[in-house]
Amino acid sequence: MKIVFATKNEGKVKEIKEMLEGMNIELISLNHYNHVPEISENGKSFLENAFKKAKIISEFTGETVMADDSGLQVDILKGEPGIYSARYAGDKATDEENNNKLLAKLKDVPPQKRSASFFCSLVLYKKDGSYDSFEGRWDGQIIDERRGSNGFGYDPIFFVPGLKLTAAELPPAIKNKVSHRGQAFAKLKKSFGEKLENT
Ligand code: ITT
């Protein structure tokens, strides 16, 4: 089965390919298409943005499309950067710049008040216009020192107390099991399995 994954973020593509291994799905990212329509992620929630990406790309490609919108919410910053996670330090900001901005905002905040969570909304939009959505959440805390070189985005400063490692220190297979995206994908996989069983 062919599914287009509506992202240009290669970090996400890598993770999702690993998660879908063994599922007989050919996953194609937007980097394989030319003249992809610009999508402004101006929804009020992760779900709204994921749905918008999936619908527009399904209409553009004529294929079944999967899209996720994800981000980090820091409790003491009232949920910032949230849906603005990818462009927190500006429209073309790098991961490094986004991390710097977040750490600057948390400069005087002690470790016990730095709780944060990653969220992921995942939408599977089918050719007939019907869709399913799945959610995942991953709790941790933000630390000043960058640790690890796996993953992408805020991973080097996202510390997971239960594992005593940052997301960037986790082997990819572990991150994919426990992360917000991993949890949303596990739900999608389960629903896929159930639907196949019922056909
Ligand atoms: P697409 O819209 O093309 O998928 P994007 O990077 O803009 O790519 P999002 O709009 O979903 O993706 O923004 C997600 C941002 O949230 C991402 O750029 C990271 O900064 C952060 N983020 C999401 N998941 C993450 C993860 O697993 N590890 C670290 N940072 C993550």
Side-chain angles (χ1 to χ4, degrees):
M1 181 181 181
K2 182 172 166 183
I3 296 184
V4 174
F5 186 38
T7 187
K8 288 183 172 169
N9 180 330
E10 283 299 326
K12 282 187 189 178
V13 176
K14 190 167 174 280
E15 287 189 2
I16 271 107
K17 281 202 165 149
E18 284 162 4
M19 289 179 208
L20 294 178
E21 234 170 54
M23 278 191 77
N24 204 16
I25 288 174
E26 184 196 355
L27 192 79
I28 300 173
S29 87
L30 285 187
N31 297 322
H32 286 78
Y33 288 91
N34 292 319
H35 313 296
V36 176
E38 271 304 314
I39 303 167
S40 58
E41 293 183 28
N42 55 4
K44 289 187 196 69
S45 65
F46 295 118
L47 179 59
E48 234 179 273
N49 282 334
F51 177 77
K52 188 174 177 191
K53 280 194 246 188
K55 183 172 190 292
I56 292 174
I57 297 304
S58 182
E59 285 163 1
F60 171 67
T61 59
E63 302 287 351
T64 292
V65 171
M66 212 154 59
D68 91 323
D69 195 49
S70 49
L72 179 72
Q73 294 192 349
V74 179
D75 297 327
I76 199 147
L77 300 179
K78 299 193 176 77
E80 269 187 44
I83 52 172
Y84 303 104
S85 293
R87 49 198 151 113
Y88 194 35
D91 265 352
K92 297 231 158 76
T94 60
D95 289 343
E96 176 77 9
E97 289 163 346
N98 287 331
N99 284 346
N100 285 340
K101 177 167 178 184
L102 182 60
L103 291 179
K105 286 221 173 191
L106 293 175
K107 195 163 68 70
D108 299 318
V109 179
Q112 67 275 18
K113 292 194 173 159
R114 285 168 169 236
S115 56
S117 308
F118 277 122
F119 289 87
C120 173
S121 288
L122 177 67
V123 169
L124 184 70
Y125 191 96
K126 295 171 209 138
K127 290 180 197 176
D128 64 4
S130 63
Y131 74 97
D132 288 316
S133 66
F134 309 90
E135 311 279 333
R137 171 189 178 147
W138 192 22
D139 296 332
Q141 71 190 62
I142 304 302
I143 55 167
D144 279 322
E145 181 204 355
R146 288 165 169 79
R147 285 170 45 177
S149 54
N150 296 328
F152 64 97
Y154 298 91
D155 281 344
I157 56 171
F158 185 81
F159 183 75
V160 187
L163 299 169
K164 296 197 169 58
L165 293 170
T166 66
E169 289 177 306
L170 289 178
I174 306 287
K175 181 186 171 192
N176 291 343
K177 272 212 176 102
V178 296
S179 76
H180 51 314
R181 196 167 301 99
Q183 293 178 46
F185 266 82
K187 291 178 190 170
L188 175 143
K189 271 181 156 177
K190 189 162 178 275
S191 129
F192 242 64
E194 280 163 7
K195 281 191 183 140
L196 288 178
E197 275 166 25
N198 292 334
T199 51

